Amino acid sequence: MAAYADPSRGHHGTGHLRDVLARLDELAAAGTPFERVPVQLAAWFHDAVYDGERDAEERSATWAEEALAPHVDEASLAEVVRLVRLTEHHRPQDGDANGCALTDADLSILAAPQERYDQYVAAVRKEYAHLPDEVFAAGRADVLRALAAKPQLFHTAHGIAAWEAAARNNIARELEGLPAADTD
């Protein structure tokens, strides 16, 4: 909790953790099959390290591995670590029920109502306040374009039905508002 409560965090703080856990509950209530314990543990650890560096997911996975080893069996531990690593790119295989549930819950913020989505974008910008606006905008546009290029943002039936259209609209709207990337 102390890591998530770090004041330097914007979006990836305690509110995000709470939202991901709530979306996992929503997925379970909608009948989405997944193993609750490893997925919830992975949710707790997926952004345990978040400092804007590229290897944050790997460091979060290492932390999970070290912290959970005395408390869970080897198979569960391996699954938690795998799931944490999966949140780097949010591209689970179709048959990966645990990965689909976790990544859908993690990305569900993309489908938030406009005002909440705009707060999310501002919170992400806070986390990258050390970057000049043009560098942040270019990086953010790259992330959004990579998400938009996915055939589906969400992988569970509930995620597709409840969040896909709104998320695509939010991404398109945000991309329209970013400065045009220099293509030279």
Side-chain angles (χ1 to χ4, degrees):
M1 284 304 294
Y4 280 97
D6 185 304
S8 69
R9 293 194 183 208
H11 169 67
H12 294 92
T14 55
H16 172 60
L17 175 59
R18 186 176 46 252
D19 288 347
V20 170
L21 293 169
R23 294 300 71 78
L24 287 172
D25 288 344
E26 181 179 336
L27 288 166
T32 303
F34 62 93
E35 296 173 274
R36 294 287 293 231
V37 171
V39 174
Q40 286 179 329
L41 287 171
W44 274 93
F45 277 95
H46 84 285
D47 285 328
V49 176
Y50 197 89
D51 55 11
E53 298 298 324
R54 294 191 183 272
D55 66 341
E57 288 84 0
E58 183 58 35
R59 288 181 286 141
S60 294
T62 299
W63 188 358
E65 195 166 34
E66 292 168 357
L68 295 174
H71 307 290
V72 299
D73 62 87
E74 283 186 36
S76 295
L77 181 60
E79 179 65 352
V80 170
V81 170
R82 180 189 76 81
L83 291 168
V84 170
R85 288 180 175 133
L86 187 62
T87 63
E88 181 174 3
H89 298 292
H90 300 93
R91 292 185 181 271
Q93 296 295 315
D94 288 339
D96 180 2
N98 291 345
C100 290
L102 180 61
T103 60
D104 278 15
D106 192 27
L107 292 180
S108 66
I109 185 63
L110 298 175
Q114 184 173 336
E115 182 178 341
R116 175 65 184 104
Y117 184 85
D118 292 346
Q119 291 168 350
Y120 147 72
V121 172
V124 169
R125 180 63 181 113
K126 175 187 173 192
E127 291 175 335
Y128 291 91
H130 61 282
L131 297 177
D133 288 342
E134 63 277 0
V135 173
F136 174 78
R140 182 69 179 166
D142 288 346
V143 167
L144 294 172
R145 281 193 292 270
L147 286 169
K150 291 174 62 173
Q152 292 177 286
L153 293 167
F154 299 99
H155 302 276
T156 64
H158 180 75
I160 293 166
W163 304 326
E164 186 80 22
R168 289 209 176 266
N169 288 338
N170 280 332
I171 289 171
R173 185 175 58 82
E174 185 181 354
L175 277 168
E176 286 174 15
L178 290 172
D182 199 359
T183 56
D184 294 337

